[in-house]
Each structure stands twice: as structure tokens, then as C-alpha cells.
Amino acid sequence: MSALPPSVERIELDELVCWRVQVGDGTLLVAQQGAQILHYQQGTQAPIIWLSEQARYQRGQSVRGGAPVCWPWFGGLTRNPAAVQAMHSNPASAPAHGNVRGLDWQLLGIDQHDGAVTLQFAFDSRKHPLPDWPHAAELQLDIRLDQQLHLELRSRNLGTQPLVLSQALHTYFAVSDIRDVRVHGLDGCRYIETLEDWQERQQQGALGFTGETDRIYLDTPTRLSIVDPGWQRRILLDARGSRSAVLWNPWIDKAKRLSQFAEDAWQRMLCIETANIWDDCVTLAPGASHSLCLSLSSEPL
Ligand SMILES: O=P(O)(O)OC[C@H]1O[C@@H](O)[C@H](O)[C@@H](O)[C@@H]1O
């Protein structure tokens, strides 16, 4: 039986315009707001990307789950290097993870080629100035679905002064049970333990989860993987243009304080946020650009 041709469909979820894409047995759902991936699944296996059961599809609000884009800074701005803070005129009042995850992006085009579908979204700060961030920059996210899912987030400095950014593809992964999974590829990496006074430490072996986790890993390799014995699969993350990653799970107490998040949802998700943060921020000369790329796939154990 021959495979169905790729398809793209526009749908609306409550207040948000979304694009549903099918390529082979891969399905993808992307919200135009924030160019936020909401869902990615291969065939009948469990979704690779996690979306909260309590997700709300409202304008101006990032959806809990999927892959929000954090830009032009990651996390709390006042925790960023001075050069990133200096881009903003009031760092103490800046929202966590920057502004673009809750704003509408422009759909530049949908390309169907060689059995793959690519959606291109852009955000231009000249057309939509960000509050207290007076810089001319263009951000483009290309989302390509073939046998894998490929993301390329390109930042371009359109101004006349250097631009300094931190950023992340804040991907929520679906796991059978966080207590059983391991993340491989971090052995020997330095990390910042944000839960213990932002101390610098060093990872020994694979990373398992026994409590709230919120760490910035540095000098990360191009490949990280999530080994999930419950679902007998390995999720592979292949990154380019990034040497840092945030590993996050809120666990029991913080889960109760999160929006759009069921009390027990911490058991079923894990964020690995492919990033440029801490000593891996991006400095762009006038006219220069930078690409942060991530490819996702999975294989049976
Ligand atoms: O609730 P938000 O703003 O989407 O942030 C979720 C989490 O995002 C992670 O990147 C941070 O490291 C966590 O500290 C934070 O809680």
C-alpha cells in the first residue's frame, strides 16, 4: 500500500490558529502564536512531544507544553549575563523567557517538497516592537517534518549595534514515568544548579530524576538522548548552534504552582531545552545571523 501524500490543514483551537501536518505516519501540530509546536507523534507510538491536558489556547498566553520559543532572553532576565540585560531598558520588569512565545508570528510560507513539509514563521521586531527592548531583529523558525522533525531558529541583527541574546527551544518531551527515564550525553558536563544557589557542579554519568530539577548544562554535546524503558524507546535530540541545555522537571510542589498543569503531570513530562544561555549567549554584529537547530527522532530500545 502506498503512503498517503503529505497534508497540511488549518484548524482553530479556541482562540489560536494552528496548522496540522501529516507526513507518512508522522503528525505535527503548530500554533501560529509563538510559532509554537504543540504536538509531534510518529505512528501509533506515544507522542514524542508532551502537551498538557490542561492546555489553554488563548491569545497572549503561551500554551503549556509543546515547544515554546524563548527569545530574546531565556528565563529571568536578571539572571542573564550583563550584556543580555543591557539590551533591555528595565530588566527587573521583564517577563520570563522573553516575549515572543505569546505573540503572533507571520506565516511566511508552507513548502511541500521531496515528501517533506516545511512551515516557515517569522517575527520582526521592527513591525512589532518589543516593550523596553528597542532593537531591530528578525527571528525565523523553520519547522520541517520528514521522517524526523527539524527546527531551525534563525536570529538576524537588522540594527547598527551588536545584539546580545539568550534563547531556547523549550521542548517538553513525553515520558512514560519521569522516575524511570535517564538522559544520556551529559556525563562530565558542567552544570549550574539553579535550585542550590546557582552553584556550578559537574555531571557524573547519566541523569536520572528523583526530585525537582532545574539545571543549566554547559558545553553540551551535539546529541542528547532520553532512554525510556517504560515505552521501550529512545528519543534522540541532535542540536547545532547550541552548547547549553536546560533540564527541567517541576516535581510535586512546583507542579501545584504552574499554570495549565495537572497536579500529577510532572510524572509524564521532561523538558530538555536546547539553548544559548549563560556562557553560551549569542552576540550578533550588525547584519549577522545565528541558527539554533534541533532534530528530533526516536528508535526502539
Ligand atoms: O512557567 P514558565 O514561564 O513557562 O516556565 C517554566 C520553567 O521553564 C524552565 O525553563 C525554567 O528553568 C523553570 O524555572 C521554569 O519554571
Side-chain angles (χ1 to χ4, degrees):
M1 205 171 66
S2 62
L4 289 171
S7 68
V8 183
E9 187 189 358
R10 181 190 186 280
I11 62 167
E12 283 173 25
L13 292 177
D14 198 359
E15 295 180 4
L16 301 186
V17 169
C18 299
W19 300 90
R20 184 158 38 207
V21 182
Q22 176 97 36
V23 171
D25 65 357
T27 48
L28 175 70
L29 181 66
V30 185
Q32 184 139 343
Q33 175 172 279
Q36 184 176 350
I37 291 173
L38 298 177
H39 175 82
Y40 171 47
Q41 184 165 18
Q42 284 291 349
T44 54
Q45 64 166 286
I48 289 176
I49 287 183
W50 179 84
L51 177 63
S52 173
E53 310 83 336
Q54 297 188 359
R56 297 174 68 184
Y57 306 96
Q58 295 185 327
R59 267 199 286 279
Q61 214 182 19
S62 179
V63 181
R64 178 69 66 194
V69 173
C70 303
W71 188 94
W73 62 86
F74 173 84
L77 181 53
T78 55
R79 284 291 183 182
N80 275 257
V84 178
Q85 293 190 43
M87 297 284 110
H88 197 279
S89 49
N90 191 3
S93 73
H97 294 322
N99 320 72
V100 299
R101 61 179 175 160
L103 297 174
D104 225 15
W105 292 39
Q106 187 192 350
L107 177 65
L108 295 181
I110 301 173
D111 178 68
Q112 298 200 32
H113 229 85
D114 301 331
V117 173
T118 305
L119 305 176
Q120 294 185 309
F121 295 95
F123 181 86
D124 187 331
S125 72
R126 295 168 307 177
K127 290 185 204 147
H128 301 282
L130 299 177
D132 299 319
W133 196 84
H135 307 286
E138 190 188 46
L139 186 59
Q140 185 171 327
L141 182 65
D142 290 359
I143 303 172
R144 175 184 161 95
L145 180 64
D146 51 25
Q147 301 317 303
Q148 303 182 358
L149 178 62
H150 308 274
L151 310 182
E152 177 175 358
L153 183 68
R154 191 160 57 253
S155 305
R156 195 149 69 97
N157 181 1
L158 302 171
T160 53
Q161 301 295 320
L163 190 69
V164 191
L165 310 165
S166 61
Q167 59 179 351
L169 295 165
H170 190 314
T171 318
Y172 288 76
F173 292 95
V175 296
S176 61
D177 188 328
I178 186 67
R179 291 159 290 204
D180 297 334
V181 303
R182 297 278 177 280
V183 175
H184 289 260
L186 296 168
D187 185 26
C189 288
R190 289 182 293 136
Y191 67 88
I192 307 300
E193 176 52 273
T194 71
L195 301 176
E196 303 248 13
D197 217 13
W198 296 66
Q199 289 172 22
E200 186 175 314
R201 300 190 177 163
Q202 192 179 32
Q203 179 66 32
Q204 307 291 334
L207 174 64
F209 300 86
T210 54
E212 183 181 349
T213 304
D214 200 343
R215 299 176 176 182
I216 300 169
Y217 278 87
L218 302 166
D219 307 322
T220 47
T222 53
R223 170 167 284 186
L224 297 178
S225 60
I226 303 171
V227 173
D228 188 335
W231 285 341
Q232 280 292 298
R233 76 171 176 192
R234 179 183 288 111
I235 298 176
L236 301 169
L237 294 75
D238 289 297
R240 277 185 294 124
S242 157
R243 288 185 297 104
S244 49
V246 175
L247 276 281
W248 178 60
N249 181 286
W251 220 254
I252 299 165
D253 291 340
K254 188 166 180 177
K256 295 181 185 147
R257 304 194 297 273
L258 290 174
S259 60
Q260 306 174 50
F261 201 88
E263 239 185 73
D264 62 353
W266 59 274
Q267 298 170 18
R268 302 185 287 277
M269 54 67 69
L270 164 64
C271 283
I272 301 186
E273 307 166 40
T274 307
N276 292 109
I277 46 172
W278 206 252
D279 56 14
D280 179 35
C281 292
V282 174
T283 301
L284 294 175
S289 60
H290 170 84
S291 285
L292 169 63
C293 303
L294 175 66
S295 294
L296 299 179
S297 56
S298 71
E299 59 187 31
L301 284 184

